[in-house]
Amino acid sequence: MKENKLMMKNHLTAFCQLRKEALDDIRQYLRDNGEIDATQVSNHYQACYFNHHGEPVTALIESIILNENKVEVTTDENYSIGEDDMTTEHIESVLNIMDDLNLIEKQPEVLCPKCQSNNVKMNVWMNPNTPDKTYNPVDDDNEYSGRVYCEDCKDIIALPISGEKKIRELFLDNDIDYVTFDMHFPTDKGYIISVSADGFEYASEETGSFDELDENTLENLAYELELQIEADKEVFDKARGF
Ligand SMILES: [Zn+2]
């Protein structure tokens, strides 16, 4: 019994935390993007509540707004439900509306690089003391880091690494500080003439950081960088008479 009681207490704590986080996220969204028009959703959501006369009412949710920095749900019965009076069902409906309108950023799915299946397993670290158990992929440099086991391929497969990570690894592996391109690397913002582990320099002498490039450009940059490093090595070896 004691264990059960403790488990319920832990779950309730986690639940309250989740409720708070959900409302924080909704508030942040409304602050950044303005109100949400729930009538745009093809699948209409209803809210149940007690009106000013204490009568139970079911009405359609019309919009989700921010009122004095608090989330508020308005209904077609001209009634507003404030954040403090929102039940779990109300919050769930708001999240469903946001989901239907594609306003919720999804965590990128980990897929098998070979067959694109999501039936994969990863080495993770787990917190055994939290009721909802938090898992984190293992980042340690062991033989399974950055790899998945695909249940469909029945194989351990390396996940593709991001362009930025690849660039940093190139500098680390080759023990160099920066690379100057023989052929300038074109981007939307101008030509990149040299790269270091922390950023790069445009032909305009302006410096840039990796987060201003999209993943595709970063991967191309990593590829060109690798070629340039190889070319520099050859020149260096020739100069030393190899
Ligand atoms: Zn696979």
Side-chain angles (χ1 to χ4, degrees):
M1 193 56 212
K2 208 176 169 191
E3 272 296 311
N4 274 346
K5 212 168 155 188
L6 188 68
M7 208 159 85
M8 182 148 178
K9 185 180 150 280
N10 283 344
H11 274 94
L12 283 174
T13 307
F15 177 78
C16 289
Q17 182 62 25
L18 220 63
R19 178 193 157 97
K20 190 189 157 293
E21 281 172 18
L23 281 168
D24 284 348
D25 286 350
I26 296 165
R27 209 179 301 118
Q28 187 62 47
Y29 178 87
L30 293 171
R31 215 174 281 145
D32 294 344
N33 302 281
E35 65 176 78
I36 297 166
D37 182 359
T39 60
Q40 297 295 312
V41 187
S42 51
N43 169 10
H44 293 296
Y45 289 91
Q46 294 182 322
C48 303
Y49 54 89
F50 292 99
N51 67 14
H52 300 300
H53 307 291
E55 297 156 343
V57 178
T58 302
L60 287 178
I61 296 178
E62 262 189 352
S63 67
I64 299 127
I65 61 169
L66 208 56
N67 187 3
E68 288 180 356
N69 221 7
K70 287 204 164 183
V71 180
E72 200 170 281
V73 169
T74 70
T75 71
D76 66 346
E77 292 282 324
N78 225 349
Y79 189 88
S80 297
I81 308 161
E83 171 173 319
D84 298 328
D85 299 322
M86 282 167 80
T87 62
T88 310
E89 284 73 24
H90 295 145
I91 297 174
E92 196 186 346
S93 295
V94 171
L95 293 175
N96 282 332
I97 289 165
M98 291 180 78
D99 198 17
D100 288 357
L101 291 170
N102 286 322
L103 305 178
I104 295 177
E105 273 177 54
K106 303 261 183 339
Q107 279 250 337
E109 228 185 341
V110 177
L111 301 176
C112 166
K114 228 192 227 170
C115 72
Q116 303 300 311
S117 159
N118 64 358
N119 194 10
V120 292
K121 287 178 177 166
M122 261 183 118
N123 255 22
V124 295
W125 283 110
M126 184 186 90
N127 184 339
N129 302 316
T130 50
D132 59 338
K133 308 254 188 290
T134 50
Y135 304 88
N136 287 312
V138 173
D139 271 332
D140 296 353
D141 200 11
N142 66 38
E143 59 176 315
Y144 297 118
S145 71
R147 286 160 193 266
V148 292
Y149 175 75
C150 175
E151 293 281 3
D152 297 335
C153 295
K154 302 276 176 231
D155 200 4
I156 297 170
I157 299 153
L159 290 169
I161 56 171
S162 73
E164 182 172 348
K165 198 169 169 206
K166 179 110 202 270
I167 289 168
R168 288 183 199 282
E169 280 178 6
L170 279 170
F171 282 102
L172 215 64
D173 293 348
N174 291 287
D175 195 20
I176 43 177
D177 296 325
Y178 69 93
V179 169
T180 305
F181 282 125
D182 293 333
M183 291 260 284
H184 297 174
F185 181 88
T187 73
D188 296 343
K189 268 190 71 179
Y191 286 95
I192 292 176
I193 55 168
S194 68
V195 186
S196 75
D198 303 314
F200 48 84
E201 194 182 341
Y202 289 109
S204 62
E205 290 187 354
E206 246 182 280
T207 54
S209 64
F210 295 124
D211 53 17
E212 66 192 61
L213 302 178
D214 61 51
E215 183 53 32
N216 216 356
T217 309
L218 278 171
E219 275 168 32
N220 286 334
L221 183 63
Y223 177 74
E224 291 297 332
L225 200 62
E226 196 169 8
L227 291 183
Q228 185 66 55
I229 291 170
E230 285 303 316
D232 288 349
K233 255 189 215 156
E234 265 175 45
V235 172
F236 183 70
D237 286 346
K238 260 196 198 129
R240 292 205 312 173
F242 286 113

